[in-house]
Amino acid sequence: MSTFDTIVIGAGMSGLTSARMLVDAGQKVVVLEGRDRVGGRMHTDRGAGYPVDLGASWIHGIEDSPLWDLVQALGIPTIEYTVGSFQVGGRPMENFDGDGRRMDAAATAEWIADVDLADRLLLEEIDSSSPGDTYLDVTERALDRSGLPPERIDEIREFFRHRVEEQCGAWIGDLDAHGLDEDAIEGDEVIFPRGYDELPRRIGAGLDVRLEHTVTRVSRSSDGVVVHANGTEFHADRAIVTVPLGILNSGTITFEPALPDAVSGPISRLGMGVFNKVFVQFPERFWDEEAYVIRALGEAGEHWHSWYDVSAVSGVPTLLTFAAGPFGRRMQQRADAEIVADALSALRLLHGEAVGEPLAHWVTRWGDDRFSNGSYSYLATGSSHHDHDALAGPVDGVLHFAGEATWGDEPATVGAAFASGHRAAERILDHAVELADFAARITARERTEAR
Ligand SMILES: Cc1cc2nc3c(=O)[nH]c(=O)nc-3n(C[C@H](O)[C@H](O)[C@H](O)COP(=O)(O)OP(=O)(O)OC[C@H]3O[C@@H](n4cnc5c(N)ncnc54)[C@H](O)[C@@H]3O)c2cc1C
């Protein structure tokens, strides 16, 4: 029986960050991962000869971002793509009205002004909201006060619903009024032409990662922890649990003794959203050369509403669209061909027969994924930002939690996963871990191995 200083459960961004920092500090660490790969919800499919990011794609705001600093220090190339957060303006977009008609410059300017006004009123309503108010409640109050004509209100209502679905994977009526408080984007957004999972792969290279080791039980005592995976017991002084919230609240891992209320409360209160991606490649580009996004408002965009041009990554005309929230859950039950046909018929309402027959497609089903049970966490009605950080523990000094759901500042992101892994390592080591040193050690090791 081998004994470790720390067992890390999960080889996603948070788990690999913690493990790497602890190993750099001299600890003996094992990482137990259920999947047959590392990266978790950062997953790049390279089967077609170019990268397709089926999980995370964006850094949502590079200003004052430790994640961006790390990407820079590791020399990972990026492409600026500042519409990953459902903005209405700022970059060229093709907007279509509820009847599927292309909006001209004046109509687009009016639309942007309408959303700005509604957003200002929405902030006021959120500020004066009461505990238990949903994002739908505050949205409706803001729209009531806007004084805009009913048909324009309908379009904004739809837009707000879609924004919540894309940012949180949730139905607007299930999100707390404060559920998008942490959503500010500072600076440009970027995507990864070599695939985002390069980052966790490079952090994790050389670590003792046991793939296809699904953890089913975690026992703790004052002596440490015993973790069960694949019929084997792993012993250590402590563990860091980084499995997604969807796994924690599914009960597929038994904790002995049961987790205290301080941690089980947040697990039951926070929500796990569903956000799926559909990539479609076309023989020819039929949308504007400079357009970042094609967006349909109102009825024309009831389900499939936003199409992001990601051709720069593959070199082939490619649009990425999302199915999130309740629609994302329903979509998962259908066959790929049906999903793509449905999405294309919505796109043809906008661009007609110019929309060619697709050359290839990729469809995700994160809500059915047995190692995540959803895409990312959200602030369900009645939960609070404090719940995210409370979820980190530690419990009895031996059980730490990390992962996007445990970081209250910007949950649901890669940045949150990274920061939470960093926090868990610092808590265990009881001293600061400088991020510049962390990055420098990775590149130094890569240089040594390349020799
Ligand atoms: C479709 C999609 C798009 C996204 N887009 C973005 C984006 O553009 N920008 C952004 O910042 N974020 C985005 N995110 C969110 C981002 O991917 C996550 O916040 C982040 O990757 C989470 O990292 P993590 O370490 O917390 O969890 P994970 O990456 O999920 O790692 C946890 C690991 O635990 C493993 N595991 C689960 N159960 C067990 C078990 N029983 N035993 C052992 N191992 C187990 C899992 O397999 C996984 O590898 C997106 C997510 C999805 C799904």
Side-chain angles (χ1 to χ4, degrees), residues 9-15 32-35 37-42 54-60 67 196 213-216 242-244 247 252-253 275-277 364 366 369-372 374-376 402-405 411-417 420:
I9 304 172
M13 186 66 188
S14 58
L32 302 176
E33 167 56 53
R35 299 182 198 270
R37 60 170 180 82
V38 302
R41 284 170 278 169
M42 299 172 79
L54 301 175
S57 299
W58 269 273
I59 296 183
H60 295 299
L67 178 64
Y196 209 166
H213 276 64
T214 301
V215 170
T216 49
T242 76
V243 303
I247 299 301
T252 51
I253 300 178
F275 172 83
N276 279 313
K277 289 182 161 182
T364 72
W366 286 98
D369 184 302
R370 72 188 180 99
F371 293 112
S372 68
S375 302
Y376 31 71
E404 55 82 12
T413 64
V414 172
S420 71

Side-chain angles (χ1 to χ4, degrees), residues 128-309:
S128 59
S129 65
S130 309
D133 279 349
T134 69
Y135 207 83
L136 181 61
D137 296 329
V138 285
T139 298
E140 288 303 321
R141 285 177 210 147
L143 292 176
D144 274 354
R145 284 174 55 209
S146 70
L148 293 169
E151 63 283 2
R152 278 158 65 186
I153 287 191
D154 282 349
E155 285 181 349
I156 304 172
R157 177 181 287 118
E158 187 103 343
F159 175 81
F160 281 165
R161 173 166 76 81
H162 289 151
R163 185 168 67 186
V164 167
E165 288 174 357
E166 286 212 358
Q167 303 303 89
C168 308
W171 163 242
I172 189 168
D174 291 336
L175 184 71
D176 192 87
H178 290 280
L180 283 176
D181 285 2
E182 307 300 331
D183 208 41
I185 301 298
E186 308 292 343
D188 285 345
E189 296 173 89
V190 298
I191 57 171
F192 292 79
R194 291 205 304 227
Y196 209 166
D197 77 356
E198 174 180 348
L199 184 59
R201 283 174 186 278
R202 285 175 63 185
I203 294 172
L207 291 174
D208 181 0
V209 180
R210 314 281 173 98
L211 298 175
E212 298 182 272
H213 276 64
T214 301
V215 170
T216 49
R217 183 181 296 266
V218 179
S219 311
R220 66 183 189 280
S221 69
S222 50
D223 292 340
V225 296
V226 183
V227 175
H228 299 249
N230 297 12
T232 305
E233 285 185 359
F234 294 82
H235 295 248
D237 293 343
R238 65 192 73 77
I240 308 176
V241 181
T242 76
V243 303
L245 177 68
I247 299 301
L248 290 175
N249 64 22
S250 72
T252 51
I253 300 178
T254 304
F255 290 92
E256 283 180 346
L259 294 172
D261 289 350
V263 169
S264 63
I267 290 174
S268 62
R269 283 191 291 274
L270 292 167
M272 187 71 176
V274 169
F275 172 83
N276 279 313
K277 289 182 161 182
V278 178
F279 292 85
V280 189
Q281 282 190 341
F282 296 96
E284 279 172 57
R285 188 184 179 97
F286 51 84
W287 58 98
D288 285 355
E289 198 58 47
E290 75 282 8
Y292 280 64
V293 185
I294 302 168
R295 180 162 292 142
L297 309 179
E299 261 181 44
E302 190 194 350
H303 289 141
W304 305 101
H305 47 84
S306 300
W307 302 79
Y308 296 79
D309 177 8

Side-chain angles (χ1 to χ4, degrees), residues 65-145:
S65 160
L67 178 64
W68 171 246
D69 294 344
L70 176 65
V71 165
Q72 296 287 95
L74 298 185
I76 298 178
T78 56
I79 299 175
E80 186 271 335
Y81 202 120
T82 313
V83 283
S85 303
F86 219 58
Q87 294 90 332
V88 277
R91 293 292 187 278
M93 296 185 196
E94 289 185 4
N95 285 309
F96 291 81
D97 69 15
D99 297 321
R101 283 187 308 246
R102 182 78 181 261
M103 287 159 64
D104 61 17
T108 300
E110 182 182 73
W111 162 243
I112 292 173
D114 283 358
V115 174
D116 279 352
L117 166 70
D119 258 334
R120 276 199 305 279
L121 297 171
L122 182 55
L123 282 182
E124 290 172 15
E125 292 299 335
I126 292 169
D127 276 350
S128 59
S129 65
S130 309
D133 279 349
T134 69
Y135 207 83
L136 181 61
D137 296 329
V138 285
T139 298
E140 288 303 321
R141 285 177 210 147
L143 292 176
D144 274 354
R145 284 174 55 209

